[in-house]
Amino acid sequence: QVQLVQSGAEVKKPGASVKVSCKASGYTFTSYDINWVRQATGQGLEWMGWMNPNSGNTGYAQKFQGRVTMTRNTSISTAYMELSSLRSEDTAVYYCARVAGIAVAGIDYWGQGTLVTVSS
Amino acid sequence: SYELTQPPSVSVSPGQTARITCSGDALPKQYAYWYQQKPGQAPVLVIYKDSERPSGIPERFSGSSSGTTVTLTISGVQAEDEADYYCQSADSSGTYEVFGGGTKLTVL
């Protein structure tokens, strides 16, 4: 079965960086795009960007350009999202999510979420 | 930046029909997707490409599109449908995805 397993919760100080991992299993990792989505407590979903695990091509939401980097290691079927220059407003649950094939194209599987807390 | 607009809340009694709208200038060009999210859980895709229903999603969930507005309709609402619902789509260039602000569906 398809699974996306994310790394554990993180606590960071303002100005620091965080790198969240997302290990995929149950399907061919390079065949489906990965999106990253975050959600602050009690708030809505916020799309951060996408990555094509096959090519490594990425696209980032304008809000995060210059601060976010999405990468992958195909040998271990793992995607990464690194966010730098953290501020308190970045405190949120971060999800990796698989985009279904072209016939559907919505997000069909989500990771369990990683809580990132930014606090001095 | 591109935005999708949803009503913050919708309330219906069990058995009634709930309609949740999502408005955006690019919706005539771009498909919309709908997700259901219950507290403490990851979202679940309930409608894709405006009106298609994934396998395993009950038939009472349907989607439609008209101009710059897409609508998620839940017919014969059940207590278990109480959740937050989000629409998702892309800007006119297809470069950036965006989520609507979410609608809290309350089953009275």
Side-chain angles (χ1 to χ4, degrees), chain A:
Chain A
Q1 72 282 21
V2 173
Q3 281 193 306
L4 298 172
V5 178
Q6 299 183 222
S7 48
E10 303 261 14
V11 179
K12 296 292 183 181
K13 293 193 182 304
S17 297
V18 67
K19 190 170 186 177
V20 179
S21 68
C22 170
K23 182 170 177 60
S25 61
Y27 73 100
T28 302
F29 176 64
T30 51
S31 295
Y32 298 84
D33 285 359
I34 292 287
N35 280 195
W36 288 88
V37 177
R38 76 178 187 180
Q39 185 172 37
T41 301
Q43 303 300 309
L45 302 173
E46 185 172 28
W47 184 79
M48 299 182 69
W50 65 270
M51 181 188 66
N52 180 307
N54 185 46
S55 64
N57 288 344
T58 56
Y60 304 138
Q62 288 180 315
K63 174 177 179 176
F64 298 104
Q65 285 181 7
R67 279 211 303 147
V68 70
T69 306
M70 297 176 188
T71 57
R72 89 289 191 215
N73 183 333
T74 57
S75 67
I76 57 172
S77 299
T78 299
Y80 303 92
M81 186 284 299
E82 184 170 21
L83 188 63
S84 62
S85 302
L86 290 169
R87 34 209 188 231
S88 59
E89 310 90 88
D90 294 317
T91 295
V93 174
Y94 289 75
Y95 292 101
C96 63
R98 189 187 87 159
V99 179
I102 194 168
V104 173
I107 293 173
D108 59 354
Y109 288 93
W110 299 70
Q112 84 277 18
T114 296
L115 175 62
V116 175
T117 302
V118 182
S119 175
S120 55

Side-chain angles (χ1 to χ4, degrees), chain B residues 75-100:
Chain B
S75 304
V77 166
Q78 300 181 7
E80 67 198 51
D81 299 330
E82 186 163 284
D84 293 324
Y85 291 84
Y86 296 90
C87 59
Q88 180 200 12
S89 188
D91 67 351
S92 56
S93 69
T95 304
Y96 303 109
E97 296 284 334
V98 65
F99 287 96

